[in-house]
């Protein structure tokens, strides 16, 4: 039998294990032109929370009592498609199933000899691409500038900070534990870290950590941390709205300070970013990331949870900050 994970309820507020359901189905068989895939690594990502709402967005919502999907690395265990062989590994958006069939459309082969399989879901996948492409398009980092990053010990944030160092910037990260601050300084080379859970005044903490102000703020979390970054933004500052995890589980539209005045006075550019809008740049961007990796200019951290049955819990743990670097489930 084949294990499948369905969305059982649309979560209200913070998602819970009860919102997911494990269902058994018959193991599928590949038809002509198809292959049978065995799931090896599953990416769990904060944006999946948005797909659990029944709302129109840039990506369709999950359907109740249907499988969830995310970035998955799978092994081809049987192939009736001439473009794929048994033993190949593929990467793409696939269902939360132990086994599934696929035609190969939208799937890319990945080479386990060039990088660990899980890295294709992180630094060499959408995580790395998000960090690199958004910094190129919106950040436009200049040597000597101050880059402030939130979610800084997470998958995207830790990559952003390291690219900031490659570009010769002063890099300050914000994260939720002292252990994460240590990691971002010692492993990722950040100049300074702020633990947002232990400081009283975020505005002051950012001002102290960024004595020359903030030239580029990379926002992974939104809310009060974004507000503090805006209070410290420099003339011609750039704000990259990549994510807003602090708001994802809110049930009402949050209210906060208004910063239109700051944006005019300081001629700030604030821009939302969606990595999926930049598919044409994926090739060269991946090459650049791979080159930095092999030159040891870039490194990465992963939190690898074992077991198909733990996929929902690993997803929930993102909202508790239990991951360092990319959260991945090994099946
Ligand atoms: P992370 O690896 O950063 O994991 C999530 C982290 O968010 C947690 O570890 C936790 O760290 C932090 N967090 C959780 N709740 C809160 C909160 N209430 N306030 C502040 N921080 C919180 O995830 P990713 O790197 O995969 O994603 C980072 C962001 O980028 C997300 O918002 C995601 O949606 C977005 N994203 C956007 C893309 C795009 O195309 N726009 C593409 C990919 C990701 P801590 O312990 O520090 O709190």
């Amino acid at each position: 039998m084949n294990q499948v994970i369905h969305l059982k309820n649309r979560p209200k507020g913070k998602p819970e294990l009860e919102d997911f359901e494990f269902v058994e189905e018959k193991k599928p068989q590949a038809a002509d032109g198809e292959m049978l895939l065995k799931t090896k690594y599953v990416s769990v990502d904060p944006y999946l929370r948005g797909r659990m709402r029944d709302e129109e967005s840039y990506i369709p919502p999950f359907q109740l009592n249907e499988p969830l999907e995310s970035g998955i690395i799978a092994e081809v265990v049987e192939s009736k498609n001439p473009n794929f062989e048994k033993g190949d590994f593929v990467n793409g958006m696939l269902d939360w199933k132990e086994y599934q069939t696929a035609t190969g459309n939208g799937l890319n082969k990945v080479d386990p000899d060039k990088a660990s399989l899980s890295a294709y879901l992180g630094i060499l996948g959408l995580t790395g691409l998000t960090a690199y492409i958004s910094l190129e398009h919106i950040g436009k980092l200049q040597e000597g500038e101050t880059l402030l990053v939130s979610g800084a010990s997470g998958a995207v944030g830790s990559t952003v900070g390291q690219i900031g160092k490659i570009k010769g910037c002063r890099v300050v990260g914000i994260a939720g534990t002292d252990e994460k601050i240590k990691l971002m300084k010692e492993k990722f080379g950040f100049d300074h870290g702020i633990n947002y859970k232990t400081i009283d005044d975020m505005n002051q903490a950012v001002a102290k950590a960024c004595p020359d102000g903030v030239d580029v703020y990379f926002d992974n979390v939104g809310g009060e941390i974004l507000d503090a970054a805006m209070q410290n933004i420099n003339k011609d500052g750039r704000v990259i709205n990549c994510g807003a995890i602090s708001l994802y589980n809110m049930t009402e539209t949050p209210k906060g300070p208004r910063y239109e005045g700051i944006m005019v006075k300081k001629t700030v550019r604030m821009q939302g970013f969606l990595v999926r809008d930049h598919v044409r740049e994926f090739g060269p961007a991946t090459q650049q990331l791979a080159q930095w990796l092999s030159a040891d200019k870039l490194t990465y951290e992963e939190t690898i949870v074992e077991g198909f049955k733990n996929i929902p819990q690993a997803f929930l743990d993102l909202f508790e900050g239990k991951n360092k670097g990319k959260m991945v489930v090994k099946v």
Side-chain angles (χ1 to χ4, degrees):
M1 294 303 278
N2 192 27
Q3 289 278 335
V4 182
I5 306 175
H6 284 182
L7 180 65
K8 190 172 166 203
N9 309 304
R10 299 205 180 276
K12 293 186 181 66
K14 220 175 238 192
E16 296 176 348
L17 280 181
E18 291 67 42
D19 296 324
F20 302 87
E21 184 173 37
F22 284 80
V23 176
E24 282 199 340
E25 60 174 31
K26 241 178 99 189
K27 195 168 151 189
Q29 290 196 326
D32 277 348
E34 287 186 343
M35 48 193 170
L36 179 64
L37 301 176
K38 183 175 194 304
T39 296
K40 302 300 274 186
Y41 288 93
V42 179
S43 176
V44 288
D45 308 271
Y47 83 91
L48 299 173
R49 175 66 183 89
R51 296 191 67 188
M52 294 176 185
R53 294 177 201 276
D54 192 14
E55 278 173 13
E56 204 176 309
S57 185
Y58 58 91
I59 187 164
F62 292 125
Q63 296 303 308
L64 288 178
N65 305 313
E66 294 285 339
L68 293 111
E69 64 168 13
S70 66
I72 283 180
I73 305 287
E75 182 179 359
V76 178
V77 288
E78 185 193 349
S79 181
K80 293 183 179 170
N81 176 326
N83 300 320
F84 296 87
E85 281 177 26
K86 183 172 186 271
D88 281 347
F89 290 96
V90 294
N91 181 8
M93 287 299 280
L94 289 165
D95 288 344
W96 286 6
K97 294 182 173 190
E98 286 177 307
Y99 290 89
Q100 59 200 292
T101 54
T103 59
N105 282 346
L107 299 179
N108 298 308
K109 282 187 206 174
V110 293
D111 185 346
D113 296 328
K114 287 204 173 134
S116 72
L117 285 173
S118 54
Y120 292 103
L121 295 175
I123 192 90
L124 293 175
L126 289 182
T127 296
L129 292 167
T130 299
Y132 177 77
I133 298 173
S134 63
L135 282 174
E136 288 289 301
H137 276 266
I138 308 169
K140 302 197 186 303
L141 292 173
Q142 305 295 315
E143 194 177 343
E145 286 190 321
T146 298
L147 166 67
L148 177 69
V149 190
S150 56
S153 76
V156 173
S158 59
T159 312
V160 166
Q162 292 180 82
I163 297 175
K165 290 313 297 178
I166 293 171
K167 302 271 179 184
C169 295
R170 174 177 158 75
V171 178
V172 176
I174 304 173
T177 66
D178 289 345
E179 204 190 337
K180 290 185 175 187
I181 304 291
K182 192 163 178 267
L183 176 79
M184 73 171 80
K185 289 206 277 194
E186 292 181 359
K187 180 161 181 177
F188 302 125
F190 283 56
D191 297 288
H192 193 82
I194 303 170
N195 180 344
Y196 74 93
K197 289 194 178 154
T198 55
I199 53 109
D200 293 331
D201 187 326
M202 207 44 210
N203 288 359
Q204 270 181 23
V206 173
K208 203 168 153 215
C210 306
D212 297 329
V214 174
D215 296 301
V216 176
Y217 172 52
F218 193 103
D219 193 20
N220 279 315
V221 306
E224 289 171 10
I225 294 177
L226 169 62
D227 298 341
M230 290 305 288
Q231 294 302 322
N232 289 280
I233 199 86
N234 281 340
K235 178 93 170 80
D236 295 331
R238 285 84 75 202
V239 177
I240 303 164
N241 298 115
C242 175
I245 194 168
S246 75
L247 312 183
Y248 290 175
N249 293 324
M250 287 201 171
T251 47
E252 282 170 25
T253 309
K255 293 192 177 73
R258 319 275 331 197
Y259 27 70
E260 296 89 331
I262 298 174
M263 294 197 56
V264 174
K265 243 185 344 204
K266 301 258 180 89
T267 54
V268 174
R269 192 148 61 96
M270 183 187 267
Q271 192 177 332
F273 175 81
L274 283 176
V275 70
R276 54 185 280 131
D277 292 347
H278 298 268
V279 175
R280 281 205 214 121
E281 291 153 70
F282 283 10
T286 308
Q287 266 179 13
Q288 176 63 86
L289 291 160
Q291 195 249 311
W292 279 335
L293 260 181
S294 63
D296 286 333
K297 289 186 171 174
L298 209 55
T299 183
Y300 62 96
E301 180 82 15
E302 294 173 321
T303 300
I304 299 190
V305 172
E306 301 254 349
F308 187 81
K309 67 177 188 325
N310 291 320
I311 296 173
Q313 186 62 54
F315 168 71
L316 302 185
D317 285 350
L318 290 168
F319 298 93
E320 307 299 332
K322 295 217 173 131
N323 61 308
K324 290 193 214 96
K326 180 78 193 96
M327 181 76 109
V328 178
V329 180
K330 183 174 183 208
V331 175

